[in-house]
Amino acid sequence: MISETRNFSKAAELLGYTQSNISMQIKNLEAELGTKLFEYQKRQVIITQTGIELLPLVTKTLENFSEIKTWNQEVEQTGILKIAAPESLTISMVAPMLKRFKQKYPQVQIELQNATCLHNEETLLRGEVDVAFMMWPSRPSKKLIDHDLGEQEMVLVVPTDSKVSFQKLLNDRNTQFIINEPECSYRNQFETAVWQQHQRQFRTTSLDGIAAIKAAVVNELGFSYLPLTMVENEIKNQKLRIVKTDIVNHVHAHLLTRDYKEKSNLISEFIKMF
């Protein structure tokens, strides 16, 4: 760039460096080679004969580096990426990111499966998937690389017309807690907190999917404790109402990987989305 512009300042501007940085790099290169690459003649930067002889090698090196970068991108754009995630994170986080990922790497085949957080972690430990998502108050297995995606806001919801408070729910022996599987992290957080703080256990109805849970609550069959992202539309459309609780939230979303090697580029690119 200096040989083309014949100006250190102009070269620095075009490359996004400071002039002092450019000057220092050339000085270091000249010291390493033991010869001058540029001279000043009549206030103009002139490339020396040594510099002229070096230029073809520099050009070839840049071309080779460009090919290496392209080859690396082509490797990243092919293959299969296997992902396991719970339903809530699939809806709120994983699916939107996969859309962006597919737009960037259309040749990559995505295999997505839904299961409980505990099952996802075990599946990853067995090497059956490349990436696993989970929601959990504590850190996952130390055998895995954990990328903490932050706290997930949780809310207790009841039908919109219900005037019930959290204290009234605690006092009502007939009320029904509608939630998913016993291994669910936020179910565990809710049940543990209610027992420790109020010595209360609710009658529970377990349903397989969040859609079914929300429908049951909307139709006044009980209450639930869910990620806010899962009930935002129902709250906006006045089908559900949030009830304040004294539960301290510790639920975080986690992206987990093994100490991957073969698919490191592909997995790294996916992780960058988050």
Side-chain angles (χ1 to χ4, degrees), residues 240-262:
L240 294 175
R241 178 175 67 86
I242 297 175
V243 173
K244 292 184 179 180
T245 72
D246 57 6
I247 296 172
V248 178
N249 182 32
H250 300 288
V251 174
H252 281 230
H254 297 267
L255 186 160
L256 307 176
T257 63
R258 297 186 307 281
D259 186 11
Y260 52 84
K261 291 182 180 179
E262 291 183 2

Side-chain angles (χ1 to χ4, degrees), residues 5-217:
T5 61
R6 297 191 177 187
N7 188 296
F8 274 66
S9 297
K10 186 65 175 178
E13 179 184 346
L14 292 171
L15 293 171
Y17 291 101
T18 62
Q19 182 179 342
S20 60
N21 188 298
I22 291 287
S23 298
M24 182 58 68
Q25 289 191 47
I26 292 298
K27 183 179 179 180
N28 291 340
L29 182 59
E30 288 177 337
E32 185 174 347
L33 295 174
T35 184
K36 296 288 290 183
L37 297 174
F38 296 97
E39 295 176 339
Y40 280 96
Q41 294 181 7
K42 298 180 181 180
R43 297 183 180 181
Q44 194 173 39
V45 177
I46 303 298
I47 190 169
T48 65
Q49 183 60 37
T50 302
I52 292 173
E53 293 173 359
L54 186 62
L55 267 180
L57 296 177
V58 173
T59 302
K60 184 63 177 178
T61 300
L62 290 173
E63 289 174 352
N64 289 340
F65 182 67
S66 179
E67 290 176 5
I68 290 171
K69 288 180 67 177
T70 304
W71 171 84
N72 191 38
Q73 291 170 358
E74 289 175 353
V75 170
E76 291 176 350
Q77 289 179 346
T78 61
I80 301 174
L81 188 63
K82 299 180 180 180
I83 300 169
E87 180 187 14
S88 56
L89 289 182
T90 297
I91 295 171
S92 64
M93 185 181 295
V94 180
M97 287 300 179
L98 283 177
K99 178 182 179 180
R100 289 177 52 195
F101 187 78
K102 287 291 290 182
Q103 289 172 343
K104 188 173 182 180
Y105 301 111
Q107 301 304 318
V108 175
Q109 180 180 338
I110 301 295
E111 293 185 3
L112 176 63
Q113 54 181 266
N114 283 154
T116 66
C117 294
L118 182 60
H119 183 272
N120 293 338
E121 184 178 14
E122 292 173 347
T123 301
L124 180 61
L125 285 167
R126 292 195 300 268
E128 296 174 9
V129 296
D130 303 306
V131 178
F133 289 84
M134 61 186 293
M135 295 177 69
W136 209 253
S138 59
R139 286 181 60 84
S141 170
K142 293 182 179 180
K143 297 179 181 179
L144 300 172
I145 301 172
D146 176 26
H147 305 268
D148 192 326
L149 303 180
E151 182 177 304
Q152 305 297 296
E153 187 173 356
M154 305 300 304
V155 292
L156 189 153
V157 289
V158 298
T160 300
D161 294 337
S162 174
K163 305 301 180 183
V164 71
S165 64
F166 185 49
Q167 188 58 51
K168 287 184 178 180
L169 286 174
L170 292 171
N171 294 336
D172 186 351
R173 295 293 163 179
N174 294 318
T175 192
Q176 200 82 4
F177 179 36
I178 303 172
I179 197 65
N180 37 20
E181 72 281 344
E183 295 83 10
C184 172
S185 57
Y186 44 87
R187 172 177 174 171
N188 283 330
Q189 174 173 270
F190 178 81
E191 291 178 332
T192 300
V194 169
W195 176 252
Q196 290 178 345
Q197 295 169 216
H198 305 284
Q199 291 72 55
R200 177 76 163 89
Q201 285 183 311
F202 288 99
R203 296 164 61 182
T204 304
T205 298
S206 296
L207 298 177
D208 288 336
I210 290 177
I213 294 170
K214 292 191 292 185
V217 177

